[in-house]
Coordinates of all heavy atoms in Angstrom, one line a residue:
C1 N -144.9 -107.1 -59.1 CA -143.6 -107.7 -59.2 C -143.0 -107.3 -60.6 O -143.7 -107.5 -61.6 CB -143.6 -109.2 -59.0 SG -141.9 -109.9 -59.1
R2 N -141.8 -106.8 -60.6 CA -141.2 -106.5 -61.9 C -139.7 -106.9 -62.0 O -139.0 -106.9 -61.0 CB -141.2 -104.9 -62.1 CG -142.7 -104.4 -62.3 CD -142.6 -102.9 -62.5 NE -143.9 -102.3 -62.6 CZ -144.7 -102.3 -63.7 NH1 -144.2 -102.7 -64.8 NH2 -145.9 -101.7 -63.7
R3 N -139.3 -107.2 -63.2 CA -137.9 -107.4 -63.5 C -137.5 -106.3 -64.4 O -138.0 -106.3 -65.6 CB -137.6 -108.8 -64.0 CG -136.2 -109.1 -64.5 CD -135.2 -109.2 -63.3 NE -135.2 -110.5 -62.7 CZ -134.4 -110.9 -61.8 NH1 -133.5 -110.0 -61.3 NH2 -134.5 -112.1 -61.2
A4 N -136.8 -105.3 -64.0 CA -136.6 -104.1 -64.7 C -137.9 -103.5 -65.1 O -138.7 -103.2 -64.2 CB -135.7 -104.4 -66.0
D5 N -138.2 -103.4 -66.4 CA -139.5 -102.7 -66.8 C -140.6 -103.8 -67.1 O -141.7 -103.4 -67.6 CB -139.3 -101.8 -68.0 CG -138.4 -100.7 -67.7 OD1 -138.5 -100.2 -66.6 OD2 -137.7 -100.2 -68.6
T6 N -140.3 -105.1 -66.9 CA -141.2 -106.1 -67.3 C -142.1 -106.5 -66.1 O -141.5 -106.9 -65.0 CB -140.5 -107.4 -67.8 OG1 -139.7 -107.0 -68.9 CG2 -141.5 -108.4 -68.2
R7 N -143.4 -106.4 -66.2 CA -144.3 -106.8 -65.2 C -144.4 -108.4 -65.1 O -144.5 -109.0 -66.1 CB -145.7 -106.2 -65.4 CG -146.8 -106.6 -64.4 CD -146.7 -105.9 -63.1 NE -147.8 -106.1 -62.3 CZ -148.9 -105.4 -62.2 NH1 -149.1 -104.4 -63.0 NH2 -149.9 -105.7 -61.3
I8 N -144.3 -109.0 -63.9 CA -144.4 -110.4 -63.7 C -145.6 -110.7 -62.9 O -145.9 -110.2 -61.8 CB -143.1 -110.9 -63.0 CG1 -141.9 -110.6 -63.8 CG2 -143.2 -112.4 -62.7 CD1 -140.6 -110.8 -63.0
S9 N -146.4 -111.7 -63.4 CA -147.6 -112.1 -62.8 C -147.3 -113.2 -61.8 O -146.8 -114.3 -62.2 CB -148.7 -112.5 -63.8 OG -149.8 -113.0 -63.2
L10 N -147.6 -113.0 -60.5 CA -147.5 -114.1 -59.5 C -148.8 -114.3 -58.8 O -149.6 -113.4 -58.7 CB -146.5 -113.6 -58.4 CG -145.0 -113.3 -58.8 CD1 -144.3 -112.7 -57.6 CD2 -144.3 -114.5 -59.3
T11 N -149.0 -115.6 -58.4 CA -150.2 -115.9 -57.6 C -149.9 -115.3 -56.2 O -148.8 -114.9 -55.8 CB -150.4 -117.4 -57.5 OG1 -149.3 -118.0 -56.7 CG2 -150.5 -118.1 -58.8
A12 N -151.0 -115.3 -55.4 CA -150.9 -114.7 -54.0 C -149.9 -115.5 -53.2 O -149.0 -114.9 -52.5 CB -152.2 -114.7 -53.3
K13 N -149.9 -116.8 -53.3 CA -148.9 -117.6 -52.5 C -147.5 -117.5 -53.0 O -146.6 -117.4 -52.2 CB -149.4 -119.0 -52.5 CG -148.7 -119.9 -51.4 CD -148.9 -119.4 -50.0 CE -150.4 -119.7 -49.6 NZ -150.6 -119.2 -48.2
E14 N -147.4 -117.4 -54.3 CA -146.0 -117.2 -54.9 C -145.4 -115.9 -54.4 O -144.3 -115.8 -54.1 CB -146.1 -117.2 -56.4 CG -146.3 -118.6 -57.0 CD -146.6 -118.6 -58.5 OE1 -146.8 -117.5 -59.1 OE2 -146.7 -119.7 -59.1
Q15 N -146.3 -114.9 -54.4 CA -145.8 -113.5 -53.9 C -145.4 -113.6 -52.5 O -144.4 -113.1 -52.1 CB -146.9 -112.5 -54.1 CG -146.5 -111.1 -53.5 CD -147.7 -110.1 -53.5 OE1 -148.5 -110.2 -54.3 NE2 -147.7 -109.3 -52.4
S16 N -146.1 -114.4 -51.6 CA -145.8 -114.5 -50.2 C -144.5 -115.2 -50.0 O -143.7 -114.8 -49.2 CB -146.9 -115.3 -49.5 OG -148.1 -114.5 -49.5
V17 N -144.2 -116.3 -50.8 CA -143.0 -117.0 -50.7 C -141.8 -116.1 -51.2 O -140.8 -116.0 -50.5 CB -143.0 -118.3 -51.6 CG1 -141.6 -118.9 -51.6 CG2 -144.0 -119.2 -51.0
L18 N -142.0 -115.4 -52.3 CA -140.9 -114.5 -52.8 C -140.7 -113.4 -51.8 O -139.5 -113.0 -51.6 CB -141.3 -114.0 -54.2 CG -140.3 -113.0 -54.8 CD1 -138.9 -113.7 -55.0 CD2 -140.8 -112.5 -56.2
E19 N -141.7 -112.8 -51.3 CA -141.6 -111.7 -50.3 C -140.7 -112.2 -49.1 O -139.8 -111.4 -48.7 CB -142.9 -111.2 -49.9 CG -142.8 -110.1 -48.8 CD -144.2 -109.6 -48.3 OE1 -145.2 -110.0 -48.9 OE2 -144.2 -108.9 -47.3
Y20 N -141.0 -113.4 -48.6 CA -140.3 -113.8 -47.4 C -138.8 -114.0 -47.8 O -137.9 -113.7 -47.0 CB -140.9 -115.1 -46.9 CG -140.3 -115.6 -45.6 CD1 -140.4 -114.9 -44.4 CD2 -139.5 -116.8 -45.6 CE1 -139.8 -115.4 -43.3 CE2 -138.9 -117.2 -44.4 CZ -139.1 -116.5 -43.3 OH -138.5 -116.9 -42.1
L21 N -138.5 -114.6 -49.0 CA -137.2 -114.8 -49.4 C -136.4 -113.4 -49.5 O -135.3 -113.3 -49.1 CB -137.1 -115.6 -50.7 CG -137.5 -117.0 -50.6 CD1 -137.6 -117.6 -52.0 CD2 -136.5 -117.8 -49.8
M22 N -137.1 -112.5 -50.1 CA -136.5 -111.2 -50.4 C -136.2 -110.4 -49.1 O -135.3 -109.7 -48.9 CB -137.3 -110.3 -51.4 CG -137.3 -110.9 -52.8 SD -138.3 -109.9 -54.0 CE -137.2 -108.5 -54.2
R23 N -137.2 -110.6 -48.1 CA -137.0 -109.9 -46.8 C -135.8 -110.5 -46.1 O -135.3 -109.9 -45.2 CB -138.2 -110.0 -46.0 CG -139.4 -109.1 -46.5 CD -140.5 -108.9 -45.5 NE -141.6 -108.1 -46.0 CZ -141.6 -106.8 -46.1 NH1 -140.6 -106.1 -45.7 NH2 -142.7 -106.2 -46.5
N24 N -135.4 -111.7 -46.4 CA -134.3 -112.4 -45.8 C -133.1 -112.6 -46.7 O -132.4 -113.5 -46.6 CB -134.8 -113.8 -45.3 CG -135.7 -113.7 -44.1 OD1 -135.3 -113.5 -42.9 ND2 -137.0 -113.7 -44.4
A25 N -133.0 -111.6 -47.7 CA -131.9 -111.7 -48.7 C -130.5 -111.8 -48.0 O -130.3 -111.1 -47.0 CB -132.0 -110.4 -49.6
G26 N -129.7 -112.6 -48.5 CA -128.4 -112.8 -47.9 C -128.3 -113.9 -46.8 O -127.2 -114.2 -46.3
K27 N -129.5 -114.4 -46.5 CA -129.6 -115.4 -45.4 C -130.2 -116.7 -46.0 O -131.1 -116.6 -46.7 CB -130.4 -114.8 -44.3 CG -130.8 -115.9 -43.2 CD -131.9 -115.3 -42.3 CE -132.4 -116.4 -41.3 NZ -133.5 -115.8 -40.5
V28 N -129.6 -117.8 -45.6 CA -130.2 -119.1 -46.0 C -131.5 -119.3 -45.3 O -131.5 -119.3 -44.0 CB -129.2 -120.2 -45.8 CG1 -129.9 -121.6 -46.2 CG2 -127.9 -120.0 -46.6
V29 N -132.6 -119.5 -46.0 CA -133.9 -119.8 -45.4 C -134.3 -121.2 -45.6 O -134.2 -121.7 -46.8 CB -134.9 -118.8 -46.1 CG1 -136.3 -119.1 -45.5 CG2 -134.6 -117.4 -45.8
T30 N -134.6 -121.9 -44.6 CA -135.0 -123.3 -44.7 C -136.4 -123.5 -45.2 O -137.2 -122.5 -45.1 CB -134.9 -124.0 -43.4 OG1 -135.8 -123.5 -42.4 CG2 -133.5 -123.8 -42.8
K31 N -136.8 -124.7 -45.7 CA -138.1 -125.0 -46.1 C -139.1 -124.8 -44.9 O -140.2 -124.4 -45.0 CB -138.2 -126.4 -46.7 CG -137.5 -126.5 -48.0 CD -137.5 -128.0 -48.5 CE -136.7 -128.1 -49.8 NZ -136.6 -129.6 -50.2
R32 N -138.6 -125.3 -43.7 CA -139.4 -125.2 -42.5 C -139.8 -123.8 -42.2 O -140.9 -123.4 -41.9 CB -138.7 -125.8 -41.4 CG -139.5 -125.8 -40.0 CD -140.6 -126.8 -40.0 NE -141.9 -126.2 -40.3 CZ -143.0 -126.9 -40.6 NH1 -142.9 -128.2 -40.6 NH2 -144.1 -126.3 -40.8
E33 N -138.8 -122.9 -42.3 CA -139.1 -121.4 -42.1 C -140.1 -120.9 -43.1 O -141.0 -120.1 -42.7 CB -137.8 -120.7 -42.1 CG -136.8 -120.9 -40.9 CD -135.5 -120.3 -41.1 OE1 -135.0 -120.2 -42.2 OE2 -134.9 -119.9 -40.1
I34 N -140.0 -121.3 -44.3 CA -140.9 -120.8 -45.3 C -142.3 -121.3 -45.0 O -143.3 -120.5 -45.1 CB -140.5 -121.2 -46.7 CG1 -139.2 -120.6 -47.1 CG2 -141.6 -120.9 -47.8 CD1 -138.6 -121.1 -48.4

C-alpha cells in the first residue's frame, strides 16, 4: 500500500477492509457488508 511514494504498513485484516472499500469506491458500504 502506498500514498504517492510513501510505503504504508497495514495488517492483513486492515488490508482486506481497505481493499473491499476501494473495490466499492463511490458506493456507500455498510458495516454489515464489510
Side-chain angles (χ1 to χ4, degrees):
C1 179
R2 294 181 183 276
R3 174 71 81 174
D5 295 327
T6 303
R7 177 79 175 265
I8 300 171
S9 178
L10 299 174
T11 68
K13 193 61 72 179
E14 287 169 353
Q15 179 189 323
S16 296
V17 173
L18 180 59
E19 178 184 349
Y20 186 67
L21 290 172
M22 292 181 71
R23 288 196 185 280
N24 289 277
K27 168 188 172 185
V28 177
V29 177
T30 66
K31 294 177 185 176
R32 181 73 261 170
E33 289 173 326
I34 294 173

